[in-house]
């Protein structure tokens, strides 16, 4: 029998039995008390990499819609509100002081209490998302604000005890699955321990200079007789982990301190509060187990909180094997190291890959800010259906999926511009979905001038405008689909990749159909496939040609 290290022994015990069955003597020596479901995966990168394969449902789905919605939606001031309300001089801090009061009196605790979801109609919303073409739906479960938008067993600051007093996650899951969608959850909470530390700070300038914000002084006893009676604010704010010292007298100096101390995106276990990582694991495990999520989105560089993230994914994969006989779930994470490719699914935030990736991947982006921003409605500056449809086509041609966030107002409604956006998207997807769903990459993703944007995160704003030279390809069965982004003024379109007898497409073309218009005239020669288009474009967005041999 091979000799087991103490670490291997503890892992074997954890995989074989619930935490309650592990001897206390072993737990007292430093073993994590959480339970990992037994199965073929072991809590190590090489096991995840060697054993995981992306399920076909995800590869077929291609398009999902995400609801990034919670207490931070209430001010309608966009992203990272709960952090920025505590950063004096920021746009959101100025709004907060003017509309809610100084953060020493009205901070995240009180903001959470304002969220009631009083106009939320999940049935109608899910119908809209399905009409717009979504094949999976993802709900925000926990953001950096450390608030659980589900009936959490391990965190009292949740949507059942605070705010809406409803299990938001259970309702989302029910409505998605009722309509045949796969259901996913997003977890961003591993960064709360440093992201929320600004709540312990103070104004470095002005009439409230030096007055500490609410997190610094609030205790459970302070809630007596108030709406949050019985809840401990320190469990929301995570405790004094990285508190800005006294003595800062300028906003610039304070901001510099934050950038160096509590702003860096840190995936490590906090040394000053290792219990935070264990609590995060239990909350996330509770989330995926209770709601049987098909997809788990991490807002992290690789996996969160070192070994805790690996343990969680191991549990998730093994639980899926036990239920389905195979791994039928997806974990997405960002900036995966080459040696870990294949262990989880790469997510590229607001960007795309620069070519066809061997492993399926996902872009996540939003039509505006992740959290609802009133200014985008006032200025009518959401992404257009054209931009999103073009992005979807380009991403799918590179073996990717698109997860699109359509943010809700705090009350649970969409605004009129968002309704118009979804209607435009739906009109295109109804006709062209067959050229998107269930497809696989061709030998090349497309043709046209080189992309201006490099591959990677946050490159979508650097995308050059498409021209009539830009074509994208996907395949399904014996059919090849070619997409054009721009309708040519002369009614002629040339697809250079499909020259007669090419290695990429050696069989001669027998028939070409334009989605929404029917068969069209063509001829194929040594310069490519020449298409003769009808006098009018069948839609204002993008054009799909089915090429038969």
């Amino acid at each position: 029998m091979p000799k087991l290290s103490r670490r291997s022994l503890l892992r074997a015990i954890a995989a074989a039995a619930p935490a309650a069955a592990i001897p206390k003597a072993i737990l007292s020596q430093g073993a994590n008390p959480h339970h990992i479901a037994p199965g073929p995966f072991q809590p190590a990168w090489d096991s995840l990499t060697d054993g995981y394969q992306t399920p076909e449902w995800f590869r077929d789905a291609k398009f999902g819609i995400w609801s990034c919605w919670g207490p931070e939606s209430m001010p309608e001031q966009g992203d990272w509100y709960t952090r920025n309300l505590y950063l004096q001089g920021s746009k959101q801090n100025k709004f907060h002081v003017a509309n809610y009061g100084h953060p020493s009196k009205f901070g995240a605790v009180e903001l959470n209490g304002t969220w009631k979801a009083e106009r939320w109609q999940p049935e109608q919303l899910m119908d809209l998302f399905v009409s717009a073409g979504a094949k999976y739906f993802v709900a925000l479960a926990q953001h950096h604000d450390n608030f659980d938008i589900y009936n959490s067993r391990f965190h009292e600051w949740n949507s059942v005890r605070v705010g809406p007093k409803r299990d938001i996650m259970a309702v989302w899951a029910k409505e998605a699955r009722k309509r045949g969608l796969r259901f996913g959850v997003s977890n961003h909470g591993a960064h709360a321990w440093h992201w929320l530390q600004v709540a312990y700070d103070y104004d470095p300038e002005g009439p409230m200079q030096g007055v500490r914000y609410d997190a610094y002084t609030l205790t459970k006893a302070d809630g007596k007789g108030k709406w949050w009676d019985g809840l401990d604010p320190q469990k929301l704010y995570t405790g004094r982990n990285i508190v800005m010292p006294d003595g800062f007298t300028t906003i610039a100096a304070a901001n510099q301190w934050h950038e160096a101390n509590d702003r860096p995106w840190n995936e490590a276990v906090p040394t000053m509060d290792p219990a935070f990582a264990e609590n995060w694991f239990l909350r996330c495990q509770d989330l995926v187990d209770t709601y049987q999520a098909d997809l788990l989105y991490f807002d992290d560089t690789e996996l969160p909180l070192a070994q805790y993230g690996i343990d969680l994914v191991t549990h998730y994969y093994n639980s899926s094997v036990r239920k389905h006989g195979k791994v039928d779930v997806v974990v997405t994470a960002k900036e995966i190291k080459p040696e870990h490719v294949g262990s989880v699914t790469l997510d590229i935030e607001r960007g795309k890959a620069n070519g066809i990736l061997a492993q399926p991947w996902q872009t996540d982006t939003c039509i505006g800010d992740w959290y609802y921003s009133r200014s985008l409605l006032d200025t009518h500056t959401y992404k257009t259906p054209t931009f999103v449809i073009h992005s979807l086509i380009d991403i799918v041609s590179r073996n990717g999926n698109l997860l699109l966030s359509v943010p809700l107002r705090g009350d649970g409604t969409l605004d009129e511009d968002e309704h118009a956006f979804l209607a435009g998207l739906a009109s295109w997807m109804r006709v062209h979905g067959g050229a998107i769903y269930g497809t696989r990459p061709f030998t090349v993703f497309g043709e046209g001038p080189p992309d201006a944007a490099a591959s990677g995160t946050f490159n979508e704003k650097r995308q050059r405008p498409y021209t009539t030279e830009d074509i994208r390809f996907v395949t399904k069965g014996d059919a090849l689909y070619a997409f054009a982004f721009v309708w040519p003024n002369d009614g002629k379109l040339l697809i250079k990749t499909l020259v007669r007898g090419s290695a990429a497409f050696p069989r001669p073309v027998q028939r070409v159909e334009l989605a929404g218009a029917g068969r069209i005239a063509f001829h194929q020669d040594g310069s490519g496939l020449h298409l003769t288009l009808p006098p009018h474009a069948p839609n204002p967005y993008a054009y799909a040609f089915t090429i038969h041999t």
Side-chain angles (χ1 to χ4, degrees):
M1 179 177 178
K3 184 178 180 181
L4 292 175
S5 67
R6 177 176 174 276
R7 186 176 184 182
S8 298
L9 176 62
L10 292 174
R11 283 181 177 171
I13 292 171
I22 300 175
K24 291 182 179 179
I26 293 179
L27 291 180
S28 67
Q29 296 174 26
N32 292 332
H34 55 249
H35 168 59
I36 300 173
F41 292 91
Q42 299 302 310
W45 276 114
D46 57 353
S47 179
L48 301 180
T49 303
D50 294 343
Y52 182 71
Q53 184 174 349
T54 306
E56 289 299 295
W57 73 257
F58 183 77
R59 299 196 70 190
D60 290 343
K62 303 302 181 190
F63 180 56
I65 285 182
W66 183 13
S67 177
C68 192
W69 180 52
E72 291 181 275
S73 306
M74 286 304 298
E76 301 188 353
Q77 294 296 304
D79 302 338
W80 280 32
Y81 186 87
T82 301
R83 176 176 169 88
N84 292 337
L85 76 88
Y86 292 106
L87 294 176
Q88 188 184 21
S90 71
K91 179 181 177 182
Q92 289 154 312
N93 169 261
K94 293 175 181 177
F95 175 90
H96 190 84
V97 171
N99 292 273
Y100 295 110
H102 191 263
S104 63
K105 301 296 183 183
F106 194 109
V109 163
E110 297 297 340
L111 181 66
N112 289 342
T114 67
W115 185 43
K116 304 299 183 185
E118 64 273 18
R119 297 179 63 199
W120 182 45
Q121 295 182 308
E123 302 90 346
Q124 289 88 335
L125 289 169
M126 203 64 68
D127 285 341
L128 287 173
F129 300 155
V130 170
S131 295
K135 295 299 183 183
Y136 59 108
F137 174 79
V138 177
L140 174 72
Q142 179 193 89
H143 198 240
H144 313 315
D145 63 350
N146 206 33
F147 186 89
D148 289 354
I149 306 174
Y150 58 99
N151 190 18
S152 178
R153 294 190 297 135
F154 298 98
H155 188 55
E156 60 194 32
W157 291 91
N158 64 69
S159 65
V160 175
R161 295 192 64 175
V162 175
K165 304 292 181 70
R166 297 180 69 180
D167 189 344
I168 299 293
M169 204 58 45
V171 177
W172 277 135
K174 175 185 174 183
E175 296 304 327
R177 289 180 169 132
K178 186 190 299 183
R179 291 158 178 79
L181 302 188
R182 291 286 186 149
F183 177 68
V185 295
S186 71
N187 184 300
H188 314 244
H191 293 280
W193 68 270
H194 63 87
W195 191 86
L196 263 177
Q197 287 302 292
V198 289
Y200 293 87
D201 295 348
Y202 55 88
D203 286 0
E205 300 178 13
M208 299 291 283
Q209 184 182 48
V211 176
R212 289 281 180 177
Y213 301 146
D214 62 333
Y216 197 86
T217 58
L218 281 181
T219 67
K220 184 175 181 178
D222 293 319
K224 188 172 180 60
K226 299 179 180 178
W227 67 263
W228 50 276
D229 196 344
L231 301 178
D232 185 353
Q234 294 307 309
K235 291 183 178 178
L236 176 68
Y237 291 121
T238 77
R240 299 183 184 182
N241 298 320
I242 315 173
V243 177
M244 187 174 76
D246 293 332
F248 285 93
T249 57
T250 68
I251 291 172
N255 287 343
Q256 186 177 18
W257 187 92
H258 289 306
E259 287 297 313
N261 291 277
D262 58 44
R263 175 61 178 82
W265 217 234
N266 193 331
E267 304 295 352
V269 175
T271 56
M272 71 293 292
D273 184 17
F276 173 87
E278 178 65 22
N279 179 253
W280 172 87
F281 175 94
L282 294 173
R283 289 159 67 183
C284 192
Q285 183 182 55
D286 181 31
L287 171 67
V288 296
D289 286 354
T290 299
Y291 304 97
Q292 294 294 293
D294 299 302
L295 181 148
L296 173 59
Y297 170 105
F298 282 135
D299 192 5
D300 297 272
T301 302
E302 293 207 298
L303 296 179
L305 297 170
Q307 187 62 41
Y308 289 90
I310 296 172
D311 288 356
L312 193 286
V313 174
T314 303
H315 172 83
Y316 189 44
Y317 286 174
N318 282 341
S319 296
S320 181
V321 172
R322 183 169 55 187
K323 181 178 179 181
H324 301 287
K326 61 180 180 179
V327 182
D328 199 43
V329 296
V330 174
V331 172
T332 68
K334 302 171 184 179
E335 299 180 32
I336 300 169
K337 295 177 182 177
E339 61 267 31
H340 298 156
V341 168
S343 57
V344 295
T345 299
L346 174 66
D347 180 88
I348 303 177
E349 182 174 349
R350 293 190 185 271
K352 65 181 180 183
N354 207 24
I356 298 174
L357 299 188
Q359 296 289 336
W361 57 280
Q362 175 180 268
T363 285
D364 71 290
T365 191
C366 185
I367 65 168
D369 286 349
W370 296 115
Y371 279 96
Y372 189 84
S373 177
R374 176 74 191 193
S375 65
L376 295 176
L377 171 63
D378 293 341
T379 57
H380 305 293
T381 49
Y382 288 123
K383 287 187 176 76
T384 64
T386 298
F387 183 94
V388 170
I389 289 166
H390 288 183
S391 296
L392 174 64
I393 293 167
D394 193 30
I395 289 163
V396 169
S397 75
R398 301 164 192 255
N399 203 26
N401 284 20
L402 173 61
L403 178 62
L404 180 70
S405 174
V406 182
L408 300 182
R409 289 173 165 138
D411 64 7
T413 61
L414 296 169
D415 66 40
E416 52 267 37
D417 283 11
E418 291 174 309
H419 277 280
F421 168 86
L422 289 171
L425 186 58
S427 70
W428 190 86
M429 292 296 283
R430 276 195 297 270
V431 177
H432 299 82
I436 296 292
Y437 308 126
T439 59
R440 297 294 183 267
F442 185 47
T443 54
V444 294
F445 71 85
E447 64 185 51
D451 282 339
S455 178
T457 301
F458 298 106
N459 66 14
E460 67 180 12
K461 288 186 177 181
R462 299 193 297 273
Q463 173 63 51
R464 62 169 173 78
Y466 290 115
T467 72
T468 55
E469 294 184 76
D470 288 295
I471 304 292
R472 297 293 181 265
F473 302 109
V474 294
T475 65
K476 183 163 61 175
D478 293 331
L480 172 67
Y481 297 98
F483 290 93
F485 300 106
V486 178
W487 190 262
N489 292 328
D490 63 1
K492 306 293 184 182
L493 190 69
L494 173 62
I495 304 178
K496 299 175 183 178
T497 302
L498 303 183
V499 299
R500 180 180 289 276
S502 71
F505 201 68
R507 295 168 296 178
V509 174
Q510 302 294 330
R511 186 171 83 253
V512 179
E513 297 169 351
L514 171 60
R519 296 181 67 161
I520 61 171
F522 70 93
H523 71 276
Q524 188 179 22
D525 59 22
S527 61
L529 181 65
H530 302 258
L531 305 181
T532 300
L533 307 184
H536 302 291
N539 72 80
Y541 304 121
Y543 317 100
F545 302 91
T546 308
I547 299 166
H548 301 275
T549 58

